[in-house]
Amino acid sequence: MRKIVLMMSVSLDGYMEGPDRDISWHRVDDEVHQDANDFIARMAGLLSGRVTYDLMAGFWPTADADPEAPAVMAEFAGIWREIPKYVYSRTLQHADWNTTIVREVVPEEVRALKERRDAELGPGDLGLGGADLAAEFLRHGLVDTIRLYVHPVLIGRGKPLFPHADTPTGLHLAESRAFGNGVVLLRYDVGHDGT
């Protein structure tokens, strides 16, 4: 069965964005971007909340139209347009670019999506983005893997990636990789048995 992979960039102190949704502290160079492109290109689909979807849809559909766009950005624009996307929103009325609107996180429906195999959703895992949606998926035990790009910066305040929890969630380090610019990729498998 495919996995749900929470994918996010975070500061070393655990924030996914600074005040006013600032992400200017991200250290995404060509090496980091290419790693993300290669990973996402193998996925079956992307799951996001509305804020993340709006941010992505506001830039990536035409990012490769800029003749000065770096090759990795132009490549990702094509990947993003083509990959099936599921945006979780109670209010969004219309979405383009191969996007399905889902109103609520229903665990049984998410599990059915993980098992689905058809022309629209082929092999590969499902990428999950957005802190609020990730918190809901974590609450329901729907996240299988956490894949973080940890940026070498302390921002001190902002939106934390992980919600406060009353009980620990066991994680198992499955991969780590240091990039030339100081960003570190950490991939953890989530222990759904509480270990």
Side-chain angles (χ1 to χ4, degrees):
M1 184 187 320
R2 65 171 52 97
K3 295 179 179 179
I4 293 182
V5 181
L6 170 56
M7 305 178 304
M8 193 65 67
S9 284
V10 295
S11 63
L12 186 58
D13 50 351
Y15 295 100
M16 49 90 52
E17 63 186 18
D20 300 319
R21 297 198 167 127
D22 177 35
I23 58 170
S24 64
W25 49 269
H26 281 192
R27 308 268 171 95
V28 179
D29 62 7
D30 286 353
E31 182 187 21
V32 172
H33 208 305
Q34 189 63 59
D35 182 76
N37 287 4
D38 294 345
F39 184 75
I40 293 171
R42 296 188 307 265
M43 304 208 85
L46 298 176
L47 315 171
S48 67
R50 179 166 184 174
V51 171
T52 300
Y53 174 78
D54 284 345
L55 179 70
M56 300 296 278
F59 181 77
W60 288 110
T62 59
D64 53 350
D66 180 353
E68 296 189 26
V72 291
M73 289 181 68
E75 178 186 29
F76 185 75
I79 293 167
W80 189 85
R81 278 192 306 266
E82 297 303 318
I83 195 166
K85 291 170 283 298
Y86 298 84
V87 59
Y88 285 79
S89 172
R90 293 181 182 100
T91 58
L92 187 65
Q93 296 302 312
H94 177 78
D96 290 316
W97 311 110
N98 202 15
T99 303
T100 301
I101 299 170
V102 182
R103 295 295 177 208
E104 300 285 339
V105 176
V106 179
E108 296 77 20
E109 292 176 4
V110 174
R111 289 183 191 102
L113 186 63
K114 287 174 65 173
E115 294 176 6
R116 202 171 117 197
R117 296 282 191 272
D118 56 35
E120 178 188 337
L121 199 62
D125 292 330
L126 295 168
L128 173 65
D132 293 335
L133 186 62
E136 187 74 4
F137 271 63
L138 287 165
R139 188 172 69 79
H140 288 294
L142 297 170
V143 175
D144 302 296
T145 301
I146 298 172
R147 190 174 198 273
L148 300 178
Y149 290 101
V150 181
H151 296 254
V153 61
L154 303 171
I155 63 173
R157 59 193 176 103
K159 184 168 193 142
L161 173 57
F162 297 106
H164 296 286
D166 294 327
T167 58
T169 299
L171 304 175
H172 307 283
L173 182 64
E175 176 187 6
S176 64
R177 175 182 175 190
F179 295 93
N181 67 359
V183 171
V184 175
L185 169 68
L186 297 173
R187 180 170 60 89
Y188 292 95
D189 292 329
V190 178
H192 293 298
D193 60 355
T195 60

